[in-house]
Amino acid sequence: EQPSRSLTMKISTVASALLTGTTLHGTAGFLPSPQAGHRAFGVLMSSTESREGVKTLNATDLASNQLVNVLSDPGFQGPIHEAEDNVSGSMMLSLDHEPIVPFGGSAPPPKTLDRNILGGKGLGLLEMTSIGIDVPPGFTLTTNLCDVYHKYGDLPSELWDATKQAIKRVESDMGRKYGDKENPLLFSCRSGAAVSMPGMMDTVLNIGLNSETVEGLAKTTGNARFAWDAFRRLLDMYGQVVLEIPHHAFEDRLKAIKAEAGVVDDVDLNVKQFQKLTEEYKKVYTEHKVIFPEDPYEQLFSCVKAVFGSWNSERAIKYREINNIHTFIGTAANIQTMVFGNMGDNSGTGVAFSRDPGTGENKLYGEYLINAQGEDVVAGIRTPEPISRMQQVLPDAYRQFIHNVEKLETNFKDMQDIEFTVENGKLWMLQCRSGKRTGPAALRIAIDMVNEGLCTPVEALLKIETDHIKQLLHPAFTPEALASSTYKDNVVATGLAGGPGAAVGKIVFDAKTAEERKADGENVILVRENTSPEDVGGMWAAEGVLTARGGMTSHAAVVARGWGKPCVCGCGELEIDEEAKTATIKSTGEVFKEGDVISLNGNTGDVIRIGIETSTPSIEGDMGTVLEWADKVADSCTVMANADSGPDAAKASELGARGIGLCRTEHMFFSPERLPVVRRWILRGEGLDKVQEFQRSDFREILHEMDAKPVTIRLLDPPLHEFLFPASQADEAMAMQLGFGTDVKGLKDKVESLHEENPMLGLRGCRLAIIRPELTAMQVEAILHASADLMEANPEAQPRPRIMIPLVGSVAEFENQAIKIKQVASRVQQERGLTIRYEIGTMMEVPRATLIADQIASLVDEDGERLCSFFSYGTNDLTQMTMGISRDDSGAFIPKYIAQGIYESDPFRTIDTEGVGYLIKKSAADGRLVNPSLSLSVCGEHGGDPTSIDFFDSVGLNYVSCSPFRVPVARLAAGQAAVRRISSSPPGAPTAEERVSTFASYENCAP
């Protein structure tokens, strides 16, 4: 295969050394490292480390494993002629792009617009610059540097030299100098990953202020109060983010100063009070035995490291786990000139969305604060004003803002989340990104943008997340409940409608308790003064979130909306005592304690003192429109449902399933009136005709509901003991009921005789049917008679049963059962005088079956007709048997494996493409090669997982099947998978059938 250019160079260099005996180094050598695990050489030396003991490699040292490890190490660049003082500088040389990308002002056009390199925030800043929007100039340190930082614990000294050069450009653009005592330039340092993670990583503002530059800032701006306010903010943020001083240590000092001054808000403090507060903050540093650096460059460099470090903070890791974010290497760090919204009444800051993120209405939605910095808005420190009021106090800036928003939507063709600052009347745009939105909003925005001509339906599909569809299936208050006096009379407070839907649960006051109660199976509402990123685990565990402070763009609201969780924020009627664990309604004095049940209406902001009935909405309207778009995408997987009863089939059809991909016949046996009949047949061999009666009735109902659509019915799969009881529970009543008379011992003996040590690999599936052939005959008769009943009752009826043989591991097993099915079917058709359309196939769940797929698919009967018309992959058991993991016991270690990076995801939720996926790909290709009309599908729960659907689409399977309530999500995912594949494929790319049959390289099919 074609190696990369860099690898070719490395191989050539090593080959030359082997021939000539040249000694090889890295750019400056390698050190053996115990932390490197299996790598022969690991950690690169930092600029302060001695070069003593540097490992060099010559031709005699190069064992094959060392050669491979050196070649794969990004630090290896070939021979060097002079020793360098900075080993880690090799990382800069090994990047395939510039590690520092400038934006704004005099920045040249970028060489890359790769979101994975620049992060979402960095990409947005470059895009805004390119379309003529004023952005405070700065530069982005790319995501790869975050990866370097986490691997090596530091960053190259060359990076800091390059950073100083980047700063010089900004100094020239702004006419100020970083660190200058007279006219200081200040920076912010903000995180920005490729995917939006609101509030999960760190930001530091006002970097560059110290005891001298604060005086210069006061002088040049003519506003000493503003300068000292900015300095105390830096002390607070630097202490928290870089030195990990608890926030309350600063907050307590601020509260004390405000109490002494007799004011409520920070904006009411004067310059002397801010100067005093600054001295108090410095005492916090002394108490924690840390030092605030006066050197502006030391401040900046340590802030960059802290922002990169926050990628692996507990809250960021938790957020990525919750949102299934695994494939990104880190965050970028954006160094941006500070512009100030806290310079007086002609300045301000805000956050806005180009459309309402809660409803999708094409109306500007946001908030701002006069005389404030950005963190004041998102942290909920003060409750902000609606963005519309900005028109009255800052009219020129507001007009420019509206113009910018329109340009951004036209450019990105998506709803935008925007942060801005107005400094002395001048508008600056600080960031833009695709905005987080609720499920209903996502659908409305997509449909409106298609109607407005901004994008096509196919493009609009990719703006909707599968989680948005899940949200629309979440509970909501019924119209009857909302109109009732029970609801209206029990509304105790109303806040801001921060997140969609309805939530009912018990009050908890901290994130840890929320997670614990959720683990115990309780529904909870997280109630907080205001949330912070540290609360993310509790917010995820809670049914809804209620805060006393913060606006509709606060952390609580943004995160809740992104997850589709009901949220009521800024509920000023609440007085929350988190220590006493109480919430008091100020106007009435009513007290709510931890454990009390309340309801939240995230659509209106209502807080209700009791539990209110909820219901699940239908898929009509906007969701129906979007799912129709998905269904119409050419060459996409069809979506079917797993259903075991008439009502299940009806629900599946209502949700858009195109058939039944798995009907589990054993689920028909467990009702109280049927179980004794089944047990009697198992233990005595009696009453099979009665079992057939209720099977026939159930099949008739399912086939009627799905008329003309395929219904895949799996013959009995589980071991017989699943229908029995422990032998110790046998008594005389059971013995009488099951035909043993008074012989309790005989009953116990019979039950014990059916015991298996490992029933999953025991007498089940086709094995059981071969040993007890009457079972197959009974089930096939029930299926065919049910079909005939429908055809006789209605000549237009078109039942389409597909009979699936489970747990096949050999050709002979399948052939035995397939011939048996054909014999029974022939007899029933003769008895009924009807020709019934049916198919026979197998559930591919035993790894051996996937290895002999061509032999199974090529089988024919004595008349030369094919015996096997479909493979349906039972990925639950196929995963268990391939990976050697019991699904029921995997919870003890798989979460830890994921946390440690051993597994990227749970293989029982998302398909293992390298192992299980390989067997699917190979067997599909082998089967289709000998049987071109072979139908291929998945009927395990992986069929409802969007990531797995991407893989199944790449393989070329015909359909996926999942539980009914996952059908809408699967429909969207199937359409999106086809759109992504088609849009990234050249003209004439292979169809589904061709993708299956071209199994030349498995790697090419992995998503």
Side-chain angles (χ1 to χ4, degrees), residues 850-851 911-924 951 955 999 1001-1003 1005:
T850 66
L851 301 177
I911 198 75
D912 161 40
T913 57
E914 293 179 343
V916 178
Y918 176 86
L919 295 178
I920 293 172
K921 176 69 173 175
K922 182 183 188 307
S923 58
F951 173 74
V955 171
F999 181 56
S1001 170
Y1002 169 69
E1003 284 76 11
C1005 82

Short mmCIF file of all heavy atoms in Angstrom, two decimals, residues 850-851 911-924 951 955 999 1001-1003 1005:
data_model
loop_
_atom_site.label_atom_id
_atom_site.label_comp_id
_atom_site.label_asym_id
_atom_site.label_seq_id
_atom_site.Cartn_x
_atom_site.Cartn_y
_atom_site.Cartn_z
N THR A 850 -20.71 -17.20 10.26
CA THR A 850 -20.24 -16.12 9.37
C THR A 850 -19.06 -16.58 8.53
O THR A 850 -18.81 -16.02 7.45
CB THR A 850 -19.84 -14.88 10.19
OG1 THR A 850 -18.69 -15.17 11.00
CG2 THR A 850 -20.98 -14.41 11.08
N LEU A 851 -18.32 -17.57 9.01
CA LEU A 851 -17.15 -18.06 8.27
C LEU A 851 -17.53 -19.05 7.17
O LEU A 851 -16.73 -19.31 6.26
CB LEU A 851 -16.15 -18.69 9.23
CG LEU A 851 -15.62 -17.77 10.33
CD1 LEU A 851 -14.69 -18.52 11.27
CD2 LEU A 851 -14.91 -16.56 9.74
N ILE A 911 -21.49 -1.05 17.41
CA ILE A 911 -20.88 -2.25 16.85
C ILE A 911 -19.35 -2.17 16.86
O ILE A 911 -18.76 -1.13 16.58
CB ILE A 911 -21.40 -2.48 15.40
CG1 ILE A 911 -21.14 -3.93 14.96
CG2 ILE A 911 -20.81 -1.49 14.43
CD1 ILE A 911 -22.06 -4.92 15.59
N ASP A 912 -18.73 -3.27 17.20
CA ASP A 912 -17.27 -3.41 17.13
C ASP A 912 -16.90 -3.64 15.67
O ASP A 912 -16.98 -4.76 15.16
CB ASP A 912 -16.84 -4.60 18.01
CG ASP A 912 -15.47 -5.12 17.66
OD1 ASP A 912 -14.57 -4.30 17.39
OD2 ASP A 912 -15.28 -6.36 17.64
N THR A 913 -16.49 -2.58 14.98
CA THR A 913 -16.29 -2.68 13.53
C THR A 913 -15.09 -3.55 13.17
O THR A 913 -15.07 -4.19 12.12
CB THR A 913 -16.11 -1.29 12.91
OG1 THR A 913 -15.00 -0.63 13.53
CG2 THR A 913 -17.36 -0.45 13.08
N GLU A 914 -14.08 -3.59 14.04
CA GLU A 914 -12.87 -4.32 13.70
C GLU A 914 -13.04 -5.83 13.82
O GLU A 914 -12.42 -6.58 13.07
CB GLU A 914 -11.71 -3.86 14.58
CG GLU A 914 -11.30 -2.41 14.32
CD GLU A 914 -10.17 -1.98 15.23
OE1 GLU A 914 -9.94 -2.66 16.25
OE2 GLU A 914 -9.52 -0.97 14.93
N GLY A 915 -13.84 -6.28 14.77
CA GLY A 915 -14.01 -7.71 14.99
C GLY A 915 -15.35 -8.21 14.49
O GLY A 915 -15.46 -8.90 13.47
N VAL A 916 -16.41 -7.86 15.21
CA VAL A 916 -17.75 -8.27 14.81
C VAL A 916 -18.09 -7.71 13.43
O VAL A 916 -18.65 -8.41 12.57
CB VAL A 916 -18.79 -7.80 15.86
CG1 VAL A 916 -20.20 -8.18 15.43
CG2 VAL A 916 -18.47 -8.37 17.23
N GLY A 917 -17.71 -6.45 13.21
CA GLY A 917 -17.97 -5.84 11.91
C GLY A 917 -17.27 -6.55 10.78
O GLY A 917 -17.80 -6.66 9.67
N TYR A 918 -16.07 -7.03 11.03
CA TYR A 918 -15.34 -7.78 10.01
C TYR A 918 -16.11 -9.05 9.63
O TYR A 918 -16.23 -9.38 8.45
CB TYR A 918 -13.95 -8.16 10.52
CG TYR A 918 -13.17 -9.01 9.55
CD1 TYR A 918 -12.43 -8.43 8.53
CD2 TYR A 918 -13.20 -10.41 9.63
CE1 TYR A 918 -11.73 -9.21 7.62
CE2 TYR A 918 -12.51 -11.18 8.72
CZ TYR A 918 -11.77 -10.59 7.72
OH TYR A 918 -11.09 -11.37 6.82
N LEU A 919 -16.63 -9.75 10.63
CA LEU A 919 -17.39 -10.98 10.34
C LEU A 919 -18.65 -10.66 9.53
O LEU A 919 -19.04 -11.42 8.64
CB LEU A 919 -17.76 -11.68 11.65
CG LEU A 919 -16.59 -12.23 12.48
CD1 LEU A 919 -17.10 -12.87 13.76
CD2 LEU A 919 -15.77 -13.23 11.67
N ILE A 920 -19.30 -9.55 9.85
CA ILE A 920 -20.49 -9.15 9.09
C ILE A 920 -20.12 -8.85 7.64
O ILE A 920 -20.74 -9.33 6.69
CB ILE A 920 -21.17 -7.93 9.75
CG1 ILE A 920 -21.76 -8.31 11.12
CG2 ILE A 920 -22.26 -7.35 8.84
CD1 ILE A 920 -22.28 -7.13 11.91
N LYS A 921 -19.09 -8.04 7.47
CA LYS A 921 -18.66 -7.65 6.13
C LYS A 921 -18.26 -8.86 5.30
O LYS A 921 -18.67 -9.02 4.14
CB LYS A 921 -17.49 -6.67 6.24
CG LYS A 921 -16.89 -6.24 4.91
CD LYS A 921 -17.83 -5.36 4.13
CE LYS A 921 -17.13 -4.81 2.87
NZ LYS A 921 -18.04 -4.04 2.03
N LYS A 922 -17.47 -9.73 5.89
CA LYS A 922 -16.98 -10.90 5.15
C LYS A 922 -18.12 -11.85 4.79
O LYS A 922 -18.23 -12.31 3.64
CB LYS A 922 -15.93 -11.65 5.96
CG LYS A 922 -15.34 -12.86 5.23
CD LYS A 922 -14.37 -13.62 6.08
CE LYS A 922 -13.67 -14.70 5.27
NZ LYS A 922 -14.59 -15.59 4.55
N SER A 923 -18.96 -12.16 5.77
CA SER A 923 -20.04 -13.12 5.50
C SER A 923 -21.06 -12.55 4.53
O SER A 923 -21.63 -13.29 3.71
CB SER A 923 -20.71 -13.54 6.81
OG SER A 923 -21.22 -12.42 7.50
N ALA A 924 -21.32 -11.25 4.61
CA ALA A 924 -22.24 -10.62 3.66
C ALA A 924 -21.70 -10.74 2.24
O ALA A 924 -22.43 -11.09 1.30
CB ALA A 924 -22.46 -9.16 4.02
N PHE A 951 -21.99 2.31 9.95
CA PHE A 951 -21.20 1.16 9.51
C PHE A 951 -22.04 0.23 8.62
O PHE A 951 -21.58 -0.21 7.56
CB PHE A 951 -20.66 0.39 10.71
CG PHE A 951 -19.99 -0.91 10.33
CD1 PHE A 951 -18.75 -0.90 9.75
CD2 PHE A 951 -20.63 -2.12 10.54
CE1 PHE A 951 -18.14 -2.10 9.38
CE2 PHE A 951 -20.04 -3.32 10.17
CZ PHE A 951 -18.78 -3.31 9.58
N VAL A 955 -21.36 -1.01 4.71
CA VAL A 955 -21.28 -2.40 4.30
C VAL A 955 -22.24 -2.69 3.15
O VAL A 955 -21.95 -3.50 2.27
CB VAL A 955 -21.59 -3.33 5.50
CG1 VAL A 955 -21.74 -4.78 5.07
CG2 VAL A 955 -20.48 -3.21 6.55
N PHE A 999 -15.53 -6.96 -1.31
CA PHE A 999 -14.84 -7.11 -0.03
C PHE A 999 -13.35 -7.34 -0.30
O PHE A 999 -12.83 -8.42 -0.17
CB PHE A 999 -15.44 -8.26 0.77
CG PHE A 999 -14.80 -8.46 2.11
CD1 PHE A 999 -14.76 -7.42 3.02
CD2 PHE A 999 -14.25 -9.68 2.47
CE1 PHE A 999 -14.18 -7.60 4.26
CE2 PHE A 999 -13.67 -9.86 3.71
CZ PHE A 999 -13.64 -8.82 4.61
N SER A 1001 -10.86 -4.95 0.85
CA SER A 1001 -10.08 -4.48 2.00
C SER A 1001 -11.03 -4.05 3.09
O SER A 1001 -11.78 -3.10 2.93
CB SER A 1001 -9.19 -3.29 1.60
OG SER A 1001 -8.62 -2.70 2.74
N TYR A 1002 -11.00 -4.74 4.21
CA TYR A 1002 -11.94 -4.41 5.28
C TYR A 1002 -11.75 -2.99 5.78
O TYR A 1002 -12.69 -2.29 6.10
CB TYR A 1002 -11.77 -5.39 6.44
CG TYR A 1002 -12.52 -4.93 7.66
CD1 TYR A 1002 -13.90 -4.92 7.68
CD2 TYR A 1002 -11.85 -4.43 8.76
CE1 TYR A 1002 -14.59 -4.46 8.76
CE2 TYR A 1002 -12.54 -3.96 9.85
CZ TYR A 1002 -13.90 -3.98 9.84
OH TYR A 1002 -14.59 -3.50 10.91
N GLU A 1003 -10.51 -2.53 5.80
CA GLU A 1003 -10.24 -1.20 6.33
C GLU A 1003 -11.04 -0.13 5.58
O GLU A 1003 -11.43 0.88 6.14
CB GLU A 1003 -8.75 -0.86 6.24
CG GLU A 1003 -7.92 -1.56 7.31
CD GLU A 1003 -7.70 -3.04 7.00
OE1 GLU A 1003 -8.01 -3.48 5.87
OE2 GLU A 1003 -7.23 -3.75 7.90
N CYS A 1005 -13.98 -0.16 4.63
CA CYS A 1005 -15.41 -0.09 4.96
C CYS A 1005 -15.65 0.40 6.37
O CYS A 1005 -16.77 0.65 6.74
CB CYS A 1005 -16.08 -1.45 4.76
SG CYS A 1005 -15.86 -2.55 6.15
#
